[in-house]
Amino acid sequence: MSNNMHTEVKQLIIDTLELEDIEVNEIVDSEPLFVEGLGLDSIDALELGIAIQKKYGIKMDAETQDTREYFASVNALVNFIKQNRH
Amino acid sequence: MSYPESGITFCIKDWAACAPGLTCQQDWQEWSAGKKAPSVDQSFDVKQVPPMLRRRLGTLGKAVAYTLCQIAWDAHIPSVFCSRHGAIQQTYKLLSDLADEKPLSPAHFSLSVHNAIAGMLSIARKDVSSITALSAGADGLWQMLLEAYGQLGQPDVEEVLCVIYDEPLPELYTRYVNDTPFTHALSFVLSKQKDKGQAMTLKSVDLHHASSARDKDTPPALQFIRFLSTDTLNQIVSTGHSNQWMLSKTE
């Protein structure tokens, strides 16, 4: 179940951010998504925020410091979605 | 604005054009002769653009990148980018989402300015030279040549990179304007040195003066590619907004 959720979030990242050359198994659960690791940027964060809102009905607050932590890695993002989805 | 009676003279040093299935000068010679048509395959190999930037270029941006890879990837010279409609397919998608009250894609929104393709490719090319982004209706090609020629008048500017590109309009708009039969991009280097490449003279003539309307369904950028690809073609005349433009190959 947990693995499925990880795969689902990775696929969401790939589809939303048009990462045409990257496959699900190339994204490491614990690695940073932004700057290092996958190398995403601030526009990607906004794009991903909207995709998560659309898919899981969770609205993220761009102003809080916590948002940075939710986006830290696939693991963090999966935990965040699990805790907040209805 | 007035132009000198004798017109302006410049040289086209290098050029590269690209459309689906038409990616080298040989292809364009065949297209000009009516022997080759664009294909449906819209992919262009632009490996020189880093993957994280490449994903943000749509088909049009990739077509532009492809032509720059051919002639000017490492040329750090001022540039003039010109497009009548810009990345209109992406703009249309944004406007549709807005009309449907859907959230806008931040990535697409951030690239919805007219100089987005020029800006992204300047990052990819690590080029900090000045960039001008023009849109001048059906007169784009001619206004781009005038702008680039003007920039050649500045001290220390020997060459200017010119890039012109467009893609077909979404169906909703085609009843108003339908001037782009297929996605295309053309890049060339304009030089003031007569010994570099093909010399040309551009003149503005009165509307009633010239008569050739043969090419009125072909956008000027594509007419210009045909002009560059065909040795036997020495002059093109194109109807602009308020005058006609006459471009001639000169010695």
Side-chain angles (χ1 to χ4, degrees):
Chain A
M1 179 63 199
S2 169
N3 275 338
N4 284 345
M5 187 74 192
H6 281 75
T7 305
E8 188 177 294
V9 168
K10 287 178 194 176
Q11 195 60 52
L12 181 75
I13 292 172
I14 289 170
D15 294 344
T16 307
L17 307 180
E18 296 167 269
L19 305 174
E20 41 192 59
D21 299 327
I22 292 172
E23 290 179 30
V24 164
N25 57 21
E26 290 176 88
I27 304 177
V28 181
D29 292 349
S30 58
E31 273 196 4
L33 291 172
F34 291 86
V35 190
E36 299 161 65
L38 203 52
L40 304 180
D41 61 25
S42 57
I43 294 169
D44 291 317
L46 292 169
E47 196 75 42
L48 213 45
I50 287 186
I52 288 167
Q53 186 184 330
K54 274 189 192 165
K55 191 171 169 91
Y56 301 104
I58 306 167
K59 200 160 174 154
M60 293 175 132
D61 184 352
E63 299 300 317
T64 69
Q65 191 64 24
D66 294 347
T67 309
R68 288 179 88 89
E69 287 162 29
Y70 306 145
F71 279 118
S73 63
V74 172
N75 282 336
L77 212 47
V78 166
N79 285 337
F80 171 74
I81 293 166
K82 278 183 179 167
Q83 281 164 20
N84 289 277
R85 73 191 299 186
H86 308 293
Chain B
M1 189 171 173
S2 65
Y3 310 99
E5 192 86 347
S6 56
I8 56 170
T9 298
F10 45 79
C11 262
I12 305 288
K13 202 176 124 191
D14 297 314
W15 67 273
C18 157
L22 305 169
T23 53
C24 63
Q25 292 196 359
Q26 173 78 30
D27 288 342
W28 287 104
Q29 281 166 13
E30 291 173 19
W31 172 79
S32 300
K35 291 178 188 157
K36 196 163 192 171
S39 69
V40 286
D41 177 22
Q42 300 258 333
S43 59
F44 305 110
D45 180 9
V46 284
K47 290 271 156 49
Q48 274 166 277
V49 183
M52 295 310 266
L53 270 174
R54 194 162 68 222
R55 71 200 165 108
R56 298 236 165 103
L57 295 170
T59 306
L60 187 62
K62 284 182 180 144
V64 171
Y66 188 90
T67 63
L68 292 180
C69 288
Q70 313 283 309
I71 61 156
W73 197 253
D74 299 313
H76 292 182
I77 52 175
S79 55
V80 182
F81 281 70
C82 179
S83 177
R84 179 169 190 181
H85 308 291
I88 188 67
Q89 296 289 346
Q90 209 169 67
T91 307
Y92 177 69
K93 173 86 178 46
L94 281 171
L95 291 172
S96 304
D97 284 348
L98 210 53
D100 296 340
E101 297 185 9
K102 286 186 190 159
L104 293 184
S105 154
H108 290 174
F109 181 74
S110 75
L111 299 173
S112 63
V113 289
H114 198 61
N115 59 355
I117 290 174
M120 273 193 293
L121 292 175
S122 77
I123 295 170
R125 294 167 57 229
K126 299 184 171 57
D127 182 14
V128 295
S129 312
S130 75
I131 298 171
T132 307
L134 285 185
S135 182
D139 278 10
L141 173 71
W142 317 111
Q143 296 297 343
M144 175 174 73
L145 288 168
L146 288 177
E147 171 63 27
Y149 181 80
Q151 293 195 12
L152 286 179
Q154 294 177 90
D156 303 326
V157 178
E158 293 293 324
E159 292 176 343
V160 175
L161 171 64
C162 295
V163 188
I164 187 163
Y165 50 98
D166 263 299
E167 64 184 352
L169 287 152
E171 203 185 337
L172 182 75
Y173 300 126
T174 54
R175 74 179 112 147
Y176 307 108
V177 185
N178 195 6
D179 63 345
T180 311
F182 51 87
T183 301
H184 61 274
L186 164 68
S187 294
F188 55 90
V189 176
L190 201 79
S191 165
K192 57 183 168 189
Q193 286 183 30
K194 292 230 163 56
D195 55 338
K196 288 195 172 170
Q198 174 66 56
M200 292 182 191
T201 299
L202 175 66
K203 272 185 198 175
S204 162
V205 290
D206 289 340
L207 269 177
H208 62 267
H209 184 267
S211 59
S212 164
R214 185 176 68 94
D215 260 343
K216 85 178 169 37
D217 294 330
T218 307
L222 288 174
Q223 290 181 42
F224 191 50
I225 296 173
R226 181 183 290 142
F227 185 61
L228 290 167
S229 308
T230 313
D231 289 341
T232 52
L233 199 58
N234 288 311
Q235 193 176 71
I236 46 174
V237 177
S238 173
T239 304
H241 181 64
S242 58
N243 57 336
Q244 283 199 319
W245 299 96
M246 193 162 77
L247 185 65
S248 315
K249 288 176 187 163
T250 47
E251 291 296 315

